[in-house]
Every structure is written in structure tokens, then in C-alpha cells.
Amino acid sequence: MNVKQRTIKAPVSISGVGLHTGQNVTMTFNPAPEKHGYKFRRVDLPGQPIIDADCDNVTDTSRGTTLTQNGASVSTVEHVLAALVGLEIDNVLIDMDAQETPIMDGSSIQFINAIEETGTVEQDADREYYHIPYNIHYSEPDRKVDMVAMPLDDDYRFTCMVDYNSQVLGSQHATISSLKEFKREIASSRTFCFLHELEMLVKHDLIKGGDLNNAIVVVDKDVDTEELSHLAKLFNRADISVAPQGILNNIELRHQNEPARHKLLDMIGDLALVGVPLKGHIMAARPGHAANVAFAKKIKALIKKERSRKHVKVYDPNMKPVYDTVQIMEILPHRPPLLLIDKILELTKTHVVGLKAVTMNEPFFVGHFPGAPVMPGVLQIEAMAQTGGILVLNTVPDPENWLTLFLKIENARFKDKVLPGDTLIFRCDLVAPIRRGIAQMKGIGMVGEKVVVEAELMAQIVKYK
């Protein structure tokens, strides 16, 4: 059964202070149309620039995840995104009047509570999941980070293990078997740091919005009364103490493994930057923002590769052609050995498909790596251009009286070798209407299901007779 996309019923705002900047910020969740995804809008900046929640826009992971696009940034986005993923909401526009999201209590629960107050609404479009097809690994041996995404058809499951070589914290793990458990098991777990990290951050004025109510501070060293008094002044407290379990100021943990649960929360938020809802089981040992984002990029690259492959139509080289070689020579002025197209398989007003059978008898193999014959890339582009020339010349009544001249070649990429025995099929699509005889085309060359060459071409037809 298909699951429909969801957005929120009405705008809802939440205000607080940014953990690192100390700036007051109001953040408003707005309903968004289908296939919109998660986007942030900096309403305090000229032009109100929009920033897509996309792993390719990540510019910093040192103290949270920062996104930058269109000359604007938003930071510490992971807790907000985790709340949206946990509530299985697909489309939201998030307005912010400062750079950093409000830290609130250091978890996602207050974002969830605010969104649930306004409620969600089902949309017409189906939610398009990406199902993890096989084990996808990511590791950072120097940091002992290991992550893997495994196939799981029916849900989105997480397992997270942390080990900080600390007597106080020790080894912990957290897990959820479904996003339906997120609110109850994960959302209220707060961010944490060690006391030695806190001192460094304070010294460098990097947690201007920090408070003992929005983070768990793990005391990993002996602390004397003088240092406790100093910390009390920094956080405007009458006094600060250390609980027996090694937590600053006697904060009661919401879960025995709250730090591990918060790392799982961060992972869910960062992996939202893949850009599509996932189905699979994510397992991670010692994850952090940098690793999460690198893993998200790896998954996104796989999705992009698979989708591009799905959009490539495989043609039957034996299908009845629109034009055979003789008919092509009635249109194109090229002749052997520089006539590089044997058939035209399809031709419409916006696209053309041509075929080149690559044989060992090609004259270029005499001098181009004769011991290991490979079709030259420039001739692949020329064959693609001749295919596109058929498309452009199809717009005039007397194509035999016209020439097709190159104006520009851009973004040419050669992805695999073309060898004797290959059947090379080119497809050229117009990317804009033909104006004044100028055509802009996107071309690809395929051997079987594999794209071996692609390029963007601009050509003009000129009369020569």
C-alpha cells in the first residue's frame, strides 16, 4: 500500500536561544507543497534566501551541522530535522530570523510537541522511499567510526553504539526498530559534552547560549570547589555540584543511556540530508556529525546513480530504423570515414536516437591504441553531434542544403571505454526550444544499459547551398 506525503496543517513557531551563538531566534514551521522536502528560509536577510536541507550544502560539522546556500547559513539543524523525520513529515518550510536553531532543552522533544499541536495533513502525492539495496559501508579507522546501512524492506531502524573510553560514560548502545518509537524512546534525549570540552568551549566563547538546562555535562576528571564556583558564575548559578554518577549539577538523566540515544537522534537528523525517506537498518559505532554527513553523501550518490540508470531507456539495435545509412547520407554531408552514425532509431521534435556499430575495421583503430583498441572520446562526441544534427536538420524542409556547426561543448564526461564489438547508441534531447537555428542539447552515449559518454552541446544550422 502506498503511503502519502505529509505536511503540517498550519504554521507554528517556537523561540529560544542558539547554543553556540547565544542569539535569540524564532523558528516557524510552515506547510509546504508536495515534493518540497525540508528547506530553511532566513527571513532576517535581504531577499529571504532559502537553504535546502541537503548533505551537499553542509559547510561545517565541528559543533553541529551547518548548511550554506545562496549566501546564507543555518546551523545546528540536526535536532530540528530529527523531529521532522521522527514525525514522518515530508514537506516543511522552516523560517528563521537568525542563523542558529534554538537549542531548547538540547533534544528534539519541544519541536515535536510544537508540531503536534498544529497537527499534520496528508497530501496527494505518494511518499517515495529509497530502499537500501545492499550493505553500504562507511568507516573512519583513525576515529574508530564504523557505519553500515543494511536492507530492510518494511521500516527504518537504527542501532547506535558509543564508547568514549570514559569511566563515567563507559560503553553504551541505543536502538529503535521503527520511527514510531522515536518520540517515546529518543526525542527527549539531550545533547552532552565532557567537562574538559565545556571548559575549552567557554574559554573560546563558543557556547554563548549554553546553559546547564540544555546539555548534559559529563565530569570526567577531579573537580575542586574553586572550579565549581567558577563554573557556577559562568552559568549564573548559586552553586554547582557533581552527582555521584558523574553528571554536573545533579541533572537527572532521562534514560540510563541518554548519551547514546542522543547520538542516535543526531544520526537521524543528519541522515535526513540524504533528501529522501529511507527504508533500511542503520548501524553505527562512534558516529559524529562529520561521519553522518559523509555517510549521507555516500547514500545520496548511490541514489543519484540508480535513478540516472532508471531514466536511461535501453534500445533494441535491431528495431526498424527511422533512417538507415543511405538515408542519413541524404541529410548529413558527412561521408566515410567520418560518417559515424549507421542508423536513426527514433526521431521526434525534441529528441533523437542514433546507432553506431563499432567494429575492428574502423580506420581510427589503425593508429589509436592498435594493440588495445579504444574508440577515441572526441569521435564519440562527434558521433553524438551527428545524431543531434539529424534532430536539428529535421526542422527545415531541405536538410541537404544545410550544415550543422558546433558552437559549444560543455560538461563532456567519458565514463567507460568503447571497444570493437560494442553497439554505441546515442540519445540527444533538446533542453530548450530551437531559436534562430540554434539548438541546445543534452546527449548521452550508451553501450547496453551503461552510459559511457555524456555531454551538453550547442549547435547552429547554416545554409551552404
Side-chain angles (χ1 to χ4, degrees):
M1 188 178 76
N2 292 337
V3 177
K4 297 298 184 182
Q5 293 183 21
R6 292 200 298 166
T7 187
I8 58 176
K9 286 183 178 178
V12 59
S13 297
I14 191 166
S15 299
V17 64
L19 174 63
H20 302 291
T21 61
Q23 293 178 325
N24 291 317
V25 56
T26 295
M27 186 168 65
T28 302
F29 298 93
N30 297 288
E34 299 164 354
K35 300 183 180 181
H36 177 277
Y38 307 144
K39 299 178 189 291
F40 293 86
R41 180 167 59 186
R42 287 289 303 275
V43 296
D44 58 317
L45 297 179
Q48 299 190 351
I50 289 177
I51 303 151
D52 295 329
D54 188 300
C55 53
D56 291 337
N57 291 332
V58 174
T59 50
D60 188 18
T61 54
S62 56
R63 298 184 306 277
T65 301
T66 298
L67 304 170
T68 303
Q69 189 180 18
N70 297 319
S73 295
V74 287
S75 57
T76 322
V77 299
E78 59 274 8
H79 302 169
V80 177
L81 296 177
L84 294 171
V85 174
L87 289 172
E88 297 187 80
I89 295 170
D90 301 275
N91 305 302
V92 176
L93 177 61
I94 306 162
D95 285 340
M96 291 174 54
D97 61 4
Q99 175 177 323
E100 189 176 17
T101 65
I103 189 62
M104 311 311 290
D105 69 349
S107 77
S108 293
I109 194 64
Q110 287 169 282
F111 303 132
I112 282 185
N113 292 340
I115 293 169
E116 285 191 331
E117 279 186 23
T118 188
T120 61
V121 60
E122 198 172 86
Q123 298 174 289
D124 291 333
D126 291 334
R127 183 179 295 156
E128 297 179 9
Y129 292 99
Y130 179 69
H131 294 256
I132 301 296
Y134 48 78
N135 288 2
I136 305 167
H137 294 270
Y138 176 81
S139 64
E140 295 179 9
D142 54 331
R143 298 184 186 182
K144 298 182 179 179
V145 174
D146 283 298
M147 306 180 78
V148 61
M150 298 180 293
L152 183 70
D153 286 338
D154 59 347
D155 229 316
Y156 196 22
R157 184 177 300 171
F158 284 85
T159 302
C160 178
M161 186 275 285
V162 295
D163 181 3
Y164 291 93
N165 195 26
S166 162
Q167 291 183 338
V168 177
L169 200 57
S171 297
Q172 296 185 358
H173 82 278
T175 185
I176 55 171
S177 59
S178 169
L179 286 178
K180 291 177 173 53
E181 300 174 10
F182 179 81
K183 179 184 176 182
R184 182 182 72 250
E185 300 292 339
I186 302 298
S188 64
S189 299
R190 295 158 294 180
T191 192
F192 67 97
C193 68
F194 291 95
L195 181 58
H196 72 271
E197 295 175 319
L198 176 69
E199 291 169 334
M200 184 276 292
L201 292 169
V202 169
K203 181 179 178 181
H204 291 89
D205 200 23
L206 296 175
I207 51 167
K208 298 174 182 177
D211 186 273
L212 296 182
N213 291 327
N214 56 32
I216 299 165
V217 181
V218 180
V219 181
D220 55 346
K221 62 175 192 172
D222 293 330
V223 187
D224 57 30
T225 305
E226 183 178 344
E227 186 169 1
L228 289 173
S229 298
H230 174 64
L231 288 169
K233 288 180 182 177
L234 283 174
F235 291 103
N236 298 313
R237 298 294 183 97
D239 61 78
I240 287 179
S241 59
V242 180
Q245 69 267 42
I247 304 298
L248 200 63
N249 206 45
N250 296 321
I251 286 180
E252 185 176 342
L253 293 178
R254 294 171 177 171
H255 307 278
Q256 186 178 2
N257 62 341
E258 189 169 353
R261 294 186 191 220
H262 185 80
K263 280 292 183 183
L264 195 153
L265 183 155
D266 280 345
M267 194 162 57
I268 291 174
D270 286 334
L271 289 181
L273 299 173
V274 169
V276 295
L278 303 175
K279 290 284 191 182
H281 185 180
I282 312 295
M283 298 186 69
R286 305 171 193 85
H289 294 300
N292 294 343
V293 171
F295 196 37
K297 288 183 177 181
K298 189 168 186 177
I299 296 171
K300 182 185 174 184
L302 179 63
I303 295 171
K304 186 177 180 181
K305 183 177 180 180
E306 289 193 1
R307 286 183 173 174
S308 66
R309 189 181 299 137
K310 285 178 182 176
H311 288 130
V312 173
K313 179 179 175 181
V314 178
Y315 294 90
D316 178 6
N318 297 314
M319 64 191 290
K320 184 178 180 180
V322 178
Y323 298 139
D324 60 21
T325 307
V326 174
Q327 291 168 314
I328 290 172
M329 287 194 292
E330 293 173 358
I331 301 171
L332 293 180
H334 306 75
R335 294 296 180 266
L338 280 178
L339 177 62
L340 297 173
I341 295 297
D342 300 324
K343 299 178 186 178
I344 296 298
L345 301 180
E346 281 187 5
L347 181 61
T348 70
K349 290 183 178 180
T350 58
H351 86 276
V352 62
V353 178
L355 179 149
K356 165 68 178 172
V358 182
T359 74
M360 192 59 206
N361 296 324
E362 306 292 348
F364 48 78
F365 284 140
V366 174
H368 196 261
F369 308 159
V374 175
M375 184 176 180
V378 290
L379 293 184
Q380 294 177 43
I381 296 294
E382 172 63 24
M384 181 187 294
Q386 290 180 20
T387 304
I390 295 287
L391 174 61
V392 184
L393 290 168
N394 193 48
T395 62
V396 296
D398 53 343
E400 68 278 3
N401 296 325
W402 296 75
L403 290 175
T404 307
L405 302 179
F406 265 134
L407 297 180
K408 186 162 56 174
I409 306 170
E410 290 186 326
N411 298 321
R413 294 183 177 89
F414 303 95
K415 300 188 172 186
D416 209 340
K417 298 187 293 293
V418 177
L419 307 174
D422 285 343
T423 299
L424 189 51
I425 294 180
F426 295 97
R427 176 172 173 137
C428 294
D429 288 85
L430 290 178
V431 296
I434 298 174
R435 292 189 177 91
R436 296 186 299 277
I438 296 176
Q440 299 178 64
M441 296 173 282
K442 172 69 185 292
I444 61 169
M446 299 166 286
V447 174
E449 297 183 6
K450 184 182 294 184
V451 175
V452 294
V453 60
E454 60 184 17
E456 295 167 14
L457 310 174
M458 181 184 288
Q460 184 177 24
I461 56 171
V462 295
K463 203 158 192 178
Y464 80 106
K465 286 186 181 179

